Amino acid sequence: MLGTKVYAQHTQHIKGNVIDASTLRPLAGVTLVGHNAYAVSDETGAFVLKTVGDSAVFKVSHLGYETLEFKPHATTASPVLLKLKSSSTALATVSVSGKTQERMHSENATVSIAVDEEFLDANRENSLMQTLNKIPGVSTMNIGSGQSKPSIRGLGFNRVSVVQNGVKHQAQQWGSDHGLEIDQYGIEEIRIIKGPASLLYGSDAIAGVVAIQPAKIPERNSFNGSVNLLTETNTDLYAVSAGMQSRGQNWFYRGRLTYRDYADFKVPTDQINYENYIFNLHNQDLRNTAGKEADASLSLGYVSPTFRTETFFSTVSAKNGFFANAHGLEVRNSSIAYDASNRDIDLPFHQVNHIKIINNSTLNLDAHRLHVDLGYQHNQREEHSEPVPHGYMPKPSGSRERVFTKNTYSLNVKDVVSWGAHTVSAGINTEFQNNNIGGWGFLIPAYDRFTLGGYVFDHMALTENLHLQGGLRYDAGYLDTQSHFDWYRSPRTNADGSTSQVYAQRARDQQLNFGSFSGSLGVSYIHKNTTYKLNIGKSFRMPLAHELASDGVNYHMYRYERGNLNLDPESSYELDAEVRHDSGRYRFSVSPFVNLFDNYIYLNPTAAYYESLQIYEYTQAAVFRAGGELTAGIDLLPNLSLDASAAYVYSRQTSGPKDGFTIPFSPPFSTLFSVGYGIKDFSLFSETRFTGDVRITARQTDIVPPESVTAGYEVLNLSVMSKLQVVSGKPWALRLKLNNVFHTPYFDHTSFYRLIEVPEPGRNFSVSVTIPF
C-alpha cells in the first residue's frame, strides 16, 4: 500500500482521483466506504465524497489491489490523489493517514469485541453460538448437537439481542430448548457488545448484543464465491454450503444454499440418571438427537455515490429430535425403537422454519446520513410428541403437542449528523409481534406485543485520543394476551360441595403496558498502544409472555410452569471498564464490570404440585453481579504464540425467596490456554498453523436450588489450518479439528442438558474444506 498526498483545507465535500500506483493510469470502479458514506470512482478515476466530517475514515478497495484507508483531516482540500498498489506487487507497506476499524472501535466507550471471518472459519462448530464459545465472557446454552443460544456474562435467553443486518432476530428463543435459526455460513463479521445496550437496541439488549454485520459490497464487475464442506465423527455429520456474489456497475447480488444432516451425538457415558431412573445408552448415542437443516438466502442491492440499498431474503428450516428420555418419563413405555438407527428422527421432535426479509437503505443528504431498516420475520415452530393422556387430559388424536407461530414487523430509522467534534445519532425503533398457538398441549397463550422507542446519542472527540459519548432513550410497549381454555373437561368443586366438569381457563384477555428510560455515558482514552474505557449504563427489559402468562407442563424440564402477571420490567445498572494494550508482540486486556438489577425475573420452584409435577413460578428479586474477563498473549517467535484468557461472574440475590443465593445458570470461573505454531510452506501446503487449547473450568458450588453442584473439568482441543494449492487459481482452505481429545465426561453448568444429567459431547474429529472460485 502506498501513501497518499492530501493538500489543504476543511470541506464537507471531497473530490479526487484514484490511480494505479505503478502505471499511474486511472482506476474505474474503486469503492470508497466510510461510516455511512460511500463513493465509486468513474471511468476517469474521479470520485466525489459528500458529507465528510472531521472524523470520517474511508476504506478504499478495488479488485486486484491492496485496500487503503485514509482520513481527510481538517486541512484536506480537493483534489485528493489516491494511489492503489497491486496486491501482486511485494512492496513495503507505508502507513496512510486514516483510521482502521480497530481504531474506530477503540474510540467507542462500550466494551465490545469484533469477530472476523478468519475466527469464524477457524472455530466453526455445529451452531453459530457454539462457534463463539472461545470468546471470554461468552458462553452457550447447548440444546443437543445442532442448536444453542448465547449467554453473555451469565445472562441469556431474551436478555441478549441477536441482531442480523440491523434487525433483531425474533424466533422462539425464550424457551430452554429453543435455539436460534441462523445460517452461520457466509457471515463475515460479528460485533459482540458486553453489557447493557438498550440505548441503541431497546428492550431485550439488557445483557448485551450479538450483532451480525452485513457483508461487504462486492467489487465492481466481479464474480466470486465458495463451497464449504464439513464432516464430523461424533454425529456422523455432513454439511455443504455454497455461496456466490456478483456485481456489475451499481447492481449486485448474493446467494447461498446450506444443507446439514447429522446423527445422534455421542456422550462419554453409558448411562443417564434422570429423575432417579437409569437409562442405558446404546453405543453412547444420546438417542433421538439427530437432525437435518436446509437454508437458503438471496439478496439484491444497488449502490451509488449517494444511495445504497440491499434487500435480504432468507429461510432456515430444521427438524431436530429431542433426547427421548428427557421428554417426560412416558418414554419408558414407548414402542418406538429408538436405537434402531442413529439417524432416525423419532418422536419427540420439533420442526421449525424461519423466514426473514430485510431491507437496509442509506441515503447521504449533504450533512445527514439517513438509515432505514425494514424487516419481516415469520417463525413457525411445531413440537411433536407421542399422544399420551396426562391427568384429566384424554389421549390426543395427533402428535402436534405445541405449535408456535410468530410474525414480526420491524422498522428502524436513524439520522447521523456530523459537525465539528460531534457525531450525533437520533432514531426510532419500533416492532410489532403477532404470536399464535396451536396443538393439544398448552404452555403460553397467544399474544400481540408492540414496542416503540426513540433515542439520541452523541459521540464527541474532545481531542484526537480522548472521546466522550452519551445518550438517552425512552421505550414504551404493551403485551396483549388472549384467553385460552383447555380442549378437555376437568372436575371442579363448586361452592356447595358439588362437582362440575368444566373447560379450565389457562389464560385470560389482558393488556399490560410498560415504559422506561435508558441511558449511558462513557469515555475512552487512547495513549500510544493502550486504550482505557469507562462506561455506565441503565437498561431495561419488558417481561415476556411466558414470564407473565405461562400455565402448563414443560415436559422438557418435567415441571409445571406458571407466569406472574404482576411482574415489573427488569431494570439494570452497569458499570463497565476496560484496559487494552497491544504492542505487536505483547497484548493484554482486562474488562471488569459491576451490575445491579432492581427486579431480576427468574423461574422459582414452589412447594406446590400439579398432577405430581412441582410448580415453578416466575418471580423477581434484586440481584448484585460483578466479574469480568482477562486476556493476555505473547509472540515468543514470529511463528510461535501463547494466549490465555479467563472469565468470572459473581451473582447474588439480595431479596426475594432465594435471598443470599446466586441466580440460575451462573457460569463458573473458566480459563482457556492456547498455543499456536506456524510453519513454512511445504509441498502443496502454505500458511499452515497448528493450535492447541485447553479449557480449565472450576467446580461450580455457588448454586440456587434446585440446581446441583457441577464438577470442574479440563478439555483439550487440537486443530490444524492450512492453504492447499491443488489446482491453479485460488488456494483451498483446509481445517482439521479434534475436540475433547481424551473423550472427557464433563457437565457445562450453562447447558440445558446439564439439568437432566447429560454430559457434553465426547471426542469429535472434523474436516472442513473451503473451495473458492
Side-chain angles (χ1 to χ4, degrees):
M1 183 188 303
L2 293 181
T4 65
K5 295 183 178 179
V6 291
Y7 310 90
Q9 79 183 21
H10 177 69
T11 178
Q12 289 295 313
H13 294 75
I14 297 294
K15 297 181 180 180
N17 293 82
V18 189
I19 63 174
D20 186 295
S22 299
T23 66
L24 303 183
R25 290 184 299 182
L27 294 176
V30 177
T31 57
L32 297 90
V33 181
H35 181 62
N36 306 318
Y38 191 85
V40 180
S41 65
D42 61 19
E43 299 302 325
T44 66
F47 65 89
V48 177
L49 289 169
K50 296 184 178 181
T51 320
V52 177
D54 290 338
S55 61
V57 179
F58 293 92
K59 180 174 290 186
V60 185
S61 59
H62 191 54
L63 185 64
Y65 291 84
E66 291 189 357
T67 300
L68 175 147
E69 292 181 347
F70 94 99
K71 173 186 176 182
H73 289 298
T75 57
T76 301
S78 298
V80 174
L81 182 64
L82 303 179
K83 298 179 181 180
L84 294 189
K85 186 191 89 173
S86 172
S87 59
S88 61
T89 305
L91 296 178
T93 299
V94 179
S95 298
V96 299
S97 175
K99 295 181 182 179
T100 63
Q101 283 290 103
E102 183 178 354
R103 169 75 188 196
M104 295 174 66
H105 290 306
S106 296
E107 294 175 355
N108 194 309
T110 57
V111 178
S112 63
I113 186 170
V115 181
D116 59 17
E117 193 171 11
E118 181 180 356
F119 177 94
L120 295 172
D121 288 339
N123 297 279
R124 186 86 63 197
E125 297 292 345
N126 264 337
S127 68
L128 175 61
M129 297 308 141
Q130 290 171 335
T131 299
L132 302 177
N133 204 30
K134 285 187 178 181
I135 298 173
V138 177
S139 56
T140 60
M141 177 179 287
N142 298 327
I143 311 125
S145 58
Q147 300 180 79
S148 62
K149 62 183 63 192
S151 176
I152 296 179
R153 292 173 167 172
L155 299 178
F157 297 95
N158 280 69
R159 294 182 180 91
V160 175
S161 284
V162 178
V163 177
Q164 188 171 27
N165 298 329
V167 173
K168 286 184 185 178
H169 179 81
Q170 293 290 7
Q172 308 291 347
Q173 62 265 31
W174 52 268
S176 299
D177 54 331
H178 301 173
L180 298 175
E181 298 83 35
I182 295 178
D183 184 3
Q184 64 173 316
Y185 290 95
I187 296 175
E188 295 182 358
E189 182 184 355
I190 298 176
R191 196 79 197 170
I192 296 177
I193 300 174
K194 300 178 182 179
S198 291
L199 175 63
L200 297 180
Y201 295 93
S203 181
D204 301 346
I206 196 168
V209 176
V210 178
I212 302 172
Q213 304 298 311
K216 299 174 184 176
I217 296 176
E219 303 284 355
R220 181 177 264 182
N221 299 319
S222 66
F223 173 82
N224 58 76
S226 65
V227 177
N228 298 275
L229 305 174
L230 173 65
T231 182
E232 297 184 349
T233 59
N234 184 280
T235 60
D236 298 331
L237 173 139
Y238 58 85
V240 57
S241 182
M244 65 178 64
Q245 62 179 12
S246 180
R247 176 181 167 188
Q249 296 296 309
N250 302 105
W251 290 94
F252 62 92
Y253 71 87
R254 325 176 204 261
R256 179 166 292 275
L257 295 173
T258 299
Y259 181 76
R260 302 170 65 246
D261 191 307
Y262 53 91
D264 299 340
F265 76 87
K266 293 179 171 56
V267 292
T269 186
D270 297 312
Q271 292 182 333
I272 298 295
N273 184 338
Y274 173 53
E275 295 289 328
N276 295 320
Y277 289 92
I278 302 298
F279 297 105
N280 295 312
L281 301 182
H282 179 68
N283 293 331
Q284 296 190 335
D285 287 338
L286 201 63
R287 56 175 64 96
N288 203 46
T289 54
K292 298 179 180 180
E293 180 181 323
D295 311 329
S297 63
L298 178 67
S299 72
L300 179 66
Y302 175 85
V303 61
S304 72
T306 59
F307 181 66
R308 169 183 170 176
T309 185
E310 186 170 7
T311 300
F312 305 85
F313 170 84
S314 66
T315 176
V316 175
S317 298
K319 181 178 180 181
N320 309 87
F322 292 126
F323 173 42
N325 298 121
H327 199 85
L329 299 178
E330 291 85 356
V331 70
R332 293 173 298 159
N333 303 316
S334 175
S335 60
I336 298 175
Y338 287 109
D339 298 325
S341 170
N342 66 349
R343 303 200 84 91
D344 286 347
I345 305 175
D346 297 308
L347 295 170
F349 67 84
H350 85 145
Q351 55 189 21
V352 60
N353 176 238
H354 192 96
I355 296 174
K356 186 179 296 184
I357 303 173
I358 297 174
N359 176 265
N360 303 135
S361 296
T362 301
L363 179 64
N364 292 325
L365 297 172
D366 294 328
H368 295 264
R369 297 188 297 277
L370 183 65
H371 306 264
V372 179
D373 302 321
L374 285 168
Y376 168 73
Q377 299 175 71
H378 173 81
N379 186 274
Q380 179 77 16
R381 175 185 170 91
E382 296 184 2
E383 298 180 2
H384 291 252
S385 300
E386 286 189 84
V388 293
H390 288 284
Y392 299 108
M393 182 185 73
K395 182 177 179 179
S397 59
S399 66
R400 293 189 357 149
E401 179 184 4
R402 295 190 182 113
V403 179
F404 302 103
T405 304
K406 173 183 283 189
N407 293 289
T408 304
Y409 306 85
S410 306
L411 170 64
N412 304 322
V413 180
K414 178 174 67 173
D415 185 25
V416 181
V417 185
S418 299
W419 79 90
H422 295 268
T423 301
V424 177
S425 302
I428 60 170
N429 311 109
T430 183
E431 183 180 83
F432 175 75
Q433 294 179 13
N434 171 252
N435 295 264
N436 296 296
I437 62 171
W440 45 262
F442 177 81
L443 183 59
I444 64 172
Y447 66 93
D448 292 333
R449 184 176 187 257
F450 175 76
T451 58
L452 173 65
Y455 66 91
V456 60
F457 180 82
D458 183 21
H459 183 110
M460 180 171 57
L462 299 177
T463 67
E464 182 180 0
N465 294 320
L466 181 61
H467 295 255
L468 181 68
Q469 65 181 43
L472 188 66
R473 177 189 181 101
Y474 183 77
D475 284 271
Y478 71 79
L479 183 76
D480 190 359
T481 62
Q482 299 178 19
S483 63
H484 184 88
F485 293 84
D486 284 341
W487 57 274
Y488 56 90
R489 296 177 186 269
S490 301
R492 185 185 68 182
T493 302
N494 301 318
D496 60 1
S498 62
T499 300
S500 302
Q501 297 292 324
V502 299
Y503 296 101
Q505 184 172 7
R506 296 296 188 91
R508 65 176 186 265
D509 293 329
Q510 177 103 22
Q511 185 176 101
L512 300 171
N513 299 290
F514 303 96
S516 180
F517 281 98
S518 302
S520 73
L521 181 65
V523 61
S524 70
Y525 175 66
I526 304 171
H527 178 66
K528 296 182 179 179
N529 298 319
T530 306
T531 301
Y532 304 88
K533 295 184 178 184
L534 186 66
N535 191 74
I536 186 169
K538 189 262 183 181
S539 289
F540 99 107
R541 183 180 72 86
M542 283 178 53
L544 302 179
H546 70 288
E547 296 167 329
L548 293 163
S550 60
D551 187 20
V553 177
N554 187 340
Y555 292 105
H556 306 292
M557 307 300 297
Y558 205 62
R559 65 193 182 197
Y560 194 98
E561 298 180 1
R562 181 170 291 162
N564 183 352
L565 289 171
N566 296 316
L567 295 177
D568 294 320
E570 285 185 342
S571 295
S572 170
Y573 304 86
E574 183 159 320
L575 177 67
D576 285 280
E578 182 180 60
V579 178
R580 183 177 296 273
H581 175 81
D582 190 344
S583 61
R585 184 181 177 189
Y586 304 97
R587 53 199 172 272
F588 77 85
S589 70
V590 57
S591 307
F593 74 93
V594 177
N595 177 217
L596 294 173
F597 274 92
D598 283 345
N599 36 29
Y600 182 86
I601 300 173
Y602 70 99
L603 197 58
N604 183 55
T606 70
Y609 282 79
Y610 177 87
E611 297 178 4
S612 77
L613 296 176
Q614 188 175 10
I615 296 177
Y616 283 61
E617 186 172 86
Y618 283 96
T619 188
Q620 293 185 286
V623 172
F624 171 80
R625 303 171 66 249
E629 300 82 44
L630 175 68
T631 67
I634 181 174
D635 295 332
L636 297 176
L637 299 170
N639 59 344
L640 178 63
S641 63
L642 300 177
D643 289 277
S645 64
Y648 175 70
V649 174
Y650 170 86
S651 301
R652 190 65 64 220
Q653 297 185 47
T654 58
S655 69
K658 292 295 191 299
D659 187 7
F661 286 96
T662 185
I663 59 176
F665 291 102
S666 291
F669 175 74
S670 179
T671 61
L672 182 68
F673 298 93
S674 302
V675 57
Y677 181 74
I679 62 174
K680 294 181 179 180
D681 300 347
F682 67 97
S683 185
L684 300 177
F685 298 91
S686 62
E687 301 179 34
T688 303
R689 187 165 184 83
F690 300 87
T691 303
D693 64 69
V694 57
R695 180 176 293 277
I696 302 175
T697 301
R699 173 182 172 90
Q700 181 57 293
T701 59
D702 193 13
I703 59 172
V704 55
E707 286 185 334
S708 57
V709 171
T710 303
Y713 59 87
E714 302 84 35
V715 177
L716 174 65
N717 304 311
L718 302 174
S719 66
V720 181
M721 295 183 60
S722 184
K723 296 291 181 65
L724 180 62
Q725 193 71 51
V726 293
V727 294
S728 61
K730 299 179 181 178
W732 295 8
L734 174 65
R735 293 172 289 273
L736 308 177
K737 295 177 61 178
L738 182 60
N739 289 347
N740 196 353
V741 175
F742 298 113
H743 202 55
T744 303
Y746 69 97
F747 296 91
D748 185 341
H749 194 77
T750 64
S751 172
F752 162 74
Y753 275 134
R754 183 264 306 177
L755 300 177
I756 52 177
E757 302 297 326
V758 175
E760 294 301 298
R763 183 184 299 111
N764 182 41
F765 178 68
S766 64
V767 180
S768 173
V769 179
T770 299
I771 306 171
F773 58 85

